[in-house]
Amino acid sequence: MKNLYAALAGATILAASAVPAQAATETFGQFAQKAVNAKLFSYTKLDSGAAKKAEIKATNLPVYFLLGLNWLPADLVGPQDAHLSVDFVSNLGTTGAGSSRVQLFDTVTSGSISFIRDTAAAEGSGTGTNLLTVSFTKAELDASQGAGAFTFKSNADSVITFTSDFLDFTGVVSKDFSFSFSGASPTFDAPLASSSNSMNFSGTGTFASDPAPLIGGVPEPTSWAMMLGGFGLLGLSLRTRKAANSVTFG
């Protein structure tokens, strides 16, 4: 568990550096692999002549998912046992200068990310298991030649949709996400205009929005205040009515 919280702390730091410049977002969720250093993500080079293609995948990867929000129901507090599946596709080769490489993941195929709770929660809608599902177009992989660590993240052109059985994103105006990949074997190696060699690696990640999502089915502090105020007025009204209806006999 100590390694888990270290990994989640590292993911939070990454999120702060990966937020697009025009978006002041707040991290609401993050994950870490249960097997912290296991290379359970794969990057596959699918280049064929002039056609460039690469895919990053993970299927039913055991993770802990942590919601960093107030007013959470009791069974959503703390690391949630979940499984992660991702599928990111690029139809473009890399660009860059020197040893730097950027590979854009474009609009031809939408990317997908899903965190499914191992068991249904008592709260929530639907199946009570969808902690977070993300669909998006446009994102990027940032790496350096020969590096064993790199990032995959949204950018200023990303179009992102968040859905959840527990979170309400109705009022959200900005969204972003960032994955930190490490321990790549073999290390990243992409000639300019091509994809990298195939490799495997481990990962952590963060998800952010502006404003933070609401907790579905749980009143916000202002709502609680209004409810409590309403109960107080109701009590006062009942006491006043009781006093008015009292009759004193001599």
Side-chain angles (χ1 to χ4, degrees):
M1 190 63 71
K2 181 179 180 181
N3 289 338
L4 163 68
Y5 284 107
L8 292 175
T12 302
I13 293 171
L14 172 67
S17 63
V19 171
Q22 74 280 13
T25 55
E26 175 184 347
T27 297
F28 66 82
Q30 51 192 306
F31 81 91
Q33 295 181 191
K34 288 189 176 181
V36 176
N37 297 315
K39 299 174 175 59
L40 302 177
F41 289 86
S42 66
Y43 173 107
T44 304
K45 181 176 183 175
L46 300 170
D47 291 357
S48 178
K52 309 302 179 184
K53 186 175 182 178
E55 184 173 21
I56 298 175
K57 290 192 74 172
T59 303
N60 289 327
L61 190 162
V63 298
Y64 293 110
F65 188 81
L66 185 66
L67 289 168
L69 295 168
N70 296 323
W71 301 88
L72 285 169
D75 59 352
L76 292 181
V77 174
Q80 302 290 295
D81 293 311
H83 279 74
L84 164 65
S85 294
V86 303
D87 193 3
F88 313 145
V89 175
S90 173
N91 292 280
L92 301 167
T94 57
T95 60
S99 62
S100 296
R101 295 288 185 273
V102 175
Q103 185 165 25
L104 296 178
F105 284 65
D106 48 13
T107 58
V108 176
T109 304
S110 295
S112 63
I113 307 165
S114 64
F115 294 92
I116 304 301
R117 200 173 189 267
D118 290 354
T119 58
E123 298 81 8
S125 60
T127 62
T129 58
N130 177 23
L131 290 165
L132 181 68
T133 294
V134 185
S135 61
F136 65 92
T137 56
K138 297 191 177 181
E140 65 182 65
L141 185 154
D142 294 354
S144 297
Q145 285 289 79
F150 40 90
T151 63
F152 180 87
K153 64 182 182 180
S154 57
N155 57 32
D157 296 321
S158 299
V159 178
I160 303 169
T161 300
F162 290 150
T163 58
S164 172
D165 286 346
F166 311 101
L167 306 177
D168 180 359
F169 295 96
T170 303
V172 168
V173 294
S174 297
K175 311 178 187 78
D176 60 62
F177 62 84
S178 183
F179 283 73
S180 175
F181 294 130
S182 60
S185 178
T187 56
F188 190 92
D189 182 12
L192 282 174
S194 297
S195 300
S196 173
N197 49 253
S198 296
M199 52 190 167
N200 294 92
F201 37 82
S202 59
T204 62
T206 60
F207 302 86
S209 68
D210 177 32
L214 303 179
I215 307 301
V218 178
E220 285 295 289
T222 52
S223 300
W224 277 115
M226 293 175 64
M227 289 171 62
L228 292 173
F231 287 138
L233 290 174
L234 177 60
L236 178 61
S237 175
L238 290 173
R239 287 194 299 272
T240 302
R241 184 180 303 173
K242 183 177 180 181
N245 291 335
S246 297
V247 178
T248 303
F249 293 93

